[in-house]
């Protein structure tokens, strides 16, 4: 996203200025670096980022249960995409599906004992990874600034 696109009229297009472009590119580099590092570390213990997200979310819910729709919304996924992923997790014994009385078309995702045990085994390695690739590289002020920025971006 350069500040000016060759051969394109600027008209109503508001291009990024140099500072904005540097900030955008820095943000993208941060996202890629942190996500690549933590994904690699989770893969080393046999989980994907999505697996960990589903397991950790279910572990925090009452009855270790969430509707497929709520989980899909939390992850920013479509219901069908999460349903396919849940099928793979179910085949591995990490979760099971149950009918959702509140949504006849949906289902509930329920964390199994094996899923909870997998999460308990993976959590220390994931925490170490998050610290190595993110937390320990930043100052307390950096962390506060990121939290503040997140609040601005989540307000939409």
């Amino acid at each position: 996203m350069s500040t000016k696109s060759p051969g394109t009229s600027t008209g109503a297009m508001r291009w990024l200025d140099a500072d904005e472009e540097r900030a955008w590119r820095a943000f993208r580099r941060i996202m890629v670096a942190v996500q690549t590092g933590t994904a690699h570390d989770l893969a080393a213990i046999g989980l994907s980022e999505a697996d960990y997200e589903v397991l950790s979310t279910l572990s925090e819910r009452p009855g270790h249960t969430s509707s497929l729709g709520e989980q899909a919304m939390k992850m920013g996924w479509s219901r069908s995409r999460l349903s396919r992923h849940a099928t793979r997790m179910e085949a591995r014994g990490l979760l099971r599906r149950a009918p959702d009385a509140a949504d006849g078309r949906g289902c509930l995702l329920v964390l199994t004992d094996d899923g909870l045990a997998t999460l308990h085994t993976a959590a220390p390695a994931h925490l170490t990874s998050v610290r190595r690739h993110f937390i320990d590289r930043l100052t307390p002020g950096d962390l506060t600034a990121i939290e503040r920025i997140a609040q601005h971006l989540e307000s939409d």
Side-chain angles (χ1 to χ4, degrees):
M1 230 186 275
S2 69
T3 55
K4 256 190 162 176
S5 179
T8 303
S9 170
T10 56
M13 181 66 64
R14 221 178 121 223
W15 295 100
L16 301 178
D17 66 28
D19 290 339
E20 291 167 336
E21 186 168 349
R22 276 193 309 278
W24 172 247
R25 289 178 184 259
F27 173 74
R28 296 292 304 153
R29 284 193 311 274
I30 291 166
M31 294 275 301
V32 169
V34 172
Q35 196 165 29
T36 300
T38 57
H40 179 268
D41 293 344
L42 279 171
I45 56 174
L47 293 174
S48 68
E49 289 179 288
D51 291 339
Y52 194 86
E53 179 72 17
V54 171
L55 293 174
S56 64
T57 299
L58 291 177
S59 75
E60 297 165 353
R61 300 286 307 217
H64 295 160
T65 302
S66 178
S67 73
L68 181 85
E70 287 174 339
Q71 185 66 37
M73 188 180 304
K74 181 181 186 305
M75 295 175 70
W77 283 16
S78 68
R79 289 169 62 123
S80 62
R81 180 180 180 190
L82 180 58
S83 181
R84 288 189 301 276
H85 190 80
T87 297
R88 291 188 296 274
M89 291 181 73
E90 191 172 22
R92 292 164 47 205
L94 301 173
L95 60 82
R96 66 179 175 78
R97 295 174 196 242
D100 185 351
D103 180 0
R105 298 174 309 146
C107 70
L108 299 174
L109 302 178
V110 182
L111 187 62
T112 62
D113 290 341
D114 285 347
L116 188 59
T118 297
L119 178 63
H120 284 252
T121 299
H126 184 60
L127 177 59
T128 298
S129 180
V130 169
R131 285 197 165 284
R132 182 176 62 224
H133 297 291
F134 185 68
I135 300 295
D136 292 345
R137 294 174 177 226
L138 302 172
T139 67
D142 294 336
L143 296 173
T144 300
I146 288 171
E147 224 178 325
R148 189 183 73 255
I149 291 166
Q151 288 171 353
H152 289 293
L153 297 177
E154 293 169 343
S155 64
D156 286 345

